[in-house]
Amino acid sequence: MTKTVNNRAWFFVLPVFAIVAFSAVLPLMTVVNYSVQDTFGNNQFFWNGIGWFQELLDPSTELGGRFFDALWRTLLFSAIILLIEVPLGIAVALSMPREGWTVALCLVLMALPLLIPWNVVGTIWQVFARSDIGLLGWIVNHLGIDYNYTNDSIDAWVTLIVMDVWHWTSLVALLCYAGLKSIPDAYYQAARIDGASRWAIFRTIQLPKMRRVLLIAVLLRFMDSFMIYTEPFVITGGGPGNATTFLSIDLVKLALGQFDLGKAAAMSLVYNLIILAICWVFYTVMINVDAERERVEA
């Protein structure tokens, strides 16, 4: 008996493909086109091949040195964010109530920072952290600490990190909380019967059950922190000097400030490939670790 294949479902998918092609593929092809050309203005372009990519990936050139400096700053920022927000988000999720009216209250409070637009977050912290009129800057300076994020690079980094932790830790906490809520009560009952400690319950029950949501949290937070633009641009503008000039800010300066479309297009493509490669590594490693753990347990 042959099975009838119904292809009518593709008619519902085709509009989605058309929208994606219009909104993603065509702009991408435009960027690829710019990356292999150069111009002297007046909309006159000529072929440059892989020249921009060679210059970009050579640290000895001005463009390459600028690119790698911004890349290391961005990677360092993402690493610090992940090291702080993931453990902190797990700790917050573990401390949240599991039942009662306080659950809804906690969820609403945790979701509030996520509802604030990025440019508003940057504006809030730009004023909040100022040493002359900002509450945070005034308190820190009156504690005897010389704090001014507009003049000191370390202060600027601390301000951006604290701002990002305040804004996005709740996302990790909410994801982890969802993973904790999916654990059946039978697991905890068995652990109490065996006399398991709080640490043993976390290590053998809660953490394994949160692995998948932690994978999502790590991927989301890495991508967002690695592509961060609005908040540091509003707060520091990439300064002082180039201390907080991440790849996204440097790319905008190159494209819109200097109008070097070829260099900016090549940088954006390499930028995109780096994000895809690191996310693929994260995903592969964590999936393999999870599969190996399940194999050992089986």
Side-chain angles (χ1 to χ4, degrees):
M1 181 178 179
T2 59
K3 184 178 179 180
T4 303
V5 179
N6 188 352
N7 291 320
R8 285 181 296 178
W10 285 102
F11 289 102
F12 296 97
V13 181
L14 286 177
V16 178
F17 281 121
I19 293 173
V20 171
F22 180 77
S23 62
V25 177
L26 292 180
L28 178 62
M29 291 300 100
T30 302
V31 173
V32 172
N33 180 50
Y34 280 135
S35 69
V36 294
Q37 298 190 66
D38 196 1
T39 180
F40 288 129
N42 297 324
N43 206 27
Q44 298 293 322
F45 293 89
F46 58 91
W47 179 257
N48 191 41
I50 60 172
W52 295 131
F53 294 96
Q54 291 176 329
E55 184 177 350
L56 182 71
L57 299 176
D58 185 1
S60 62
T61 64
E62 180 184 357
L63 178 63
R66 173 178 177 174
F67 169 73
F68 281 102
D69 287 343
L71 175 61
W72 302 138
R73 281 191 291 267
T74 309
L75 287 173
L76 177 61
F77 179 79
S78 297
I80 295 173
I81 290 303
L82 289 177
L83 289 174
I84 295 175
E85 292 182 7
V86 173
L88 183 59
I90 294 174
V92 172
L94 290 172
S95 64
M96 291 175 64
R98 300 290 189 273
E99 56 185 18
W101 64 270
T102 54
V103 173
L105 177 62
C106 288
L107 292 177
V108 170
L109 292 176
M110 294 300 296
L112 282 178
L114 303 177
L115 301 177
I116 304 176
W118 296 339
N119 58 333
V120 177
V121 172
T123 304
I124 291 172
W125 280 84
Q126 181 193 40
V127 177
F128 183 55
R130 283 184 57 172
S131 57
D132 51 354
I133 62 173
L135 178 62
L136 176 63
W138 183 86
I139 291 175
V140 172
N141 280 304
H142 277 72
L143 290 176
I145 302 174
D146 186 15
Y147 169 81
N148 190 338
Y149 71 86
T150 60
N151 294 330
D152 188 87
S153 59
I154 296 179
D155 292 343
W157 269 79
V158 171
T159 304
L160 293 179
I161 290 170
V162 173
M163 176 274 303
D164 199 90
V165 170
W166 171 83
H167 192 196
W168 290 110
T169 300
S170 54
L171 174 64
V172 181
L174 291 174
L175 289 172
C176 293
Y177 184 76
L180 292 173
K181 287 286 289 183
S182 66
I183 302 175
D185 290 336
Y187 284 71
Y188 296 110
Q189 294 173 3
R192 285 193 293 267
I193 292 173
D194 292 339
S197 64
R198 187 70 186 85
W199 168 249
I201 293 175
F202 172 74
R203 183 174 55 85
T204 59
I205 297 177
Q206 294 173 325
L207 185 59
K209 293 298 181 181
M210 287 193 297
R211 284 183 182 274
R212 298 187 186 279
V213 294
L214 279 176
L215 170 62
I216 297 173
V218 169
L219 289 177
L220 289 177
R221 288 307 305 127
F222 168 75
M223 288 188 295
D224 186 72
S225 62
F226 195 74
M227 296 186 296
I228 190 170
Y229 170 77
T230 305
E231 297 95 322
F233 179 78
V234 172
I235 296 175
T236 65
N242 290 323
T244 57
T245 301
F246 303 123
L247 265 178
S248 57
I249 296 178
D250 199 32
L251 179 59
V252 173
K253 288 182 178 181
L254 190 63
L256 301 181
Q258 301 175 214
F259 207 69
D260 287 331
L261 298 181
K263 296 178 181 179
M267 181 182 291
S268 66
L269 290 176
V270 174
Y271 191 6
N272 187 41
L273 289 176
I274 291 173
I275 295 173
L276 292 176
I278 297 179
C279 287
W280 177 80
V281 170
F282 271 138
Y283 179 81
T284 302
V285 170
M286 297 187 73
I287 287 296
N288 288 340
V289 169
D290 195 25
E292 179 64 21
R293 181 182 180 86
E294 291 179 355
R295 185 188 65 82
V296 171
E297 292 177 351

